[in-house]
Amino acid sequence: DTAGAERLYREAKTQGGELTAEAQFGLAQVARVRGDATSERQALQDFLSRHPGSPLVSAARRRLSALGAR
């Protein structure tokens, strides 16, 4: 349920706290499932700028590289 996942990730992102980084990364995954490379790239870049210490940074960078982003 992509729409449901997106809703939950957006809600978690606005709550702040420890799940914010995971929610931002999840929004990028939702965009990927939808085939929206532009939104996925933006979500990943936003994730990297806001959460540089997250354990998901390596995965985000790999995915950006696969998308051809710098």
Side-chain angles (χ1 to χ4, degrees), residues 13 24 41-51:
K13 185 178 169 189
Q24 180 64 47
R41 188 176 296 109
Q42 289 172 343
L44 289 168
Q45 290 169 338
D46 186 39
F47 167 80
L48 289 171
S49 69
R50 293 175 188 259
H51 308 287

Side-chain angles (χ1 to χ4, degrees), residues 1-57:
D1 176 19
T2 306
E6 181 178 20
R7 181 178 39 78
L8 291 173
Y9 285 136
R10 288 193 187 283
E11 190 175 307
K13 185 178 169 189
T14 63
Q15 298 296 316
E18 296 177 17
L19 294 178
T20 305
E22 291 177 26
Q24 180 64 47
F25 190 80
L27 288 170
Q29 292 175 313
V30 166
R32 182 178 184 179
V33 168
R34 288 188 172 150
D36 185 351
T38 300
S39 293
E40 181 184 5
R41 188 176 296 109
Q42 289 172 343
L44 289 168
Q45 290 169 338
D46 186 39
F47 167 80
L48 289 171
S49 69
R50 293 175 188 259
H51 308 287
S54 170
L56 296 170
V57 165

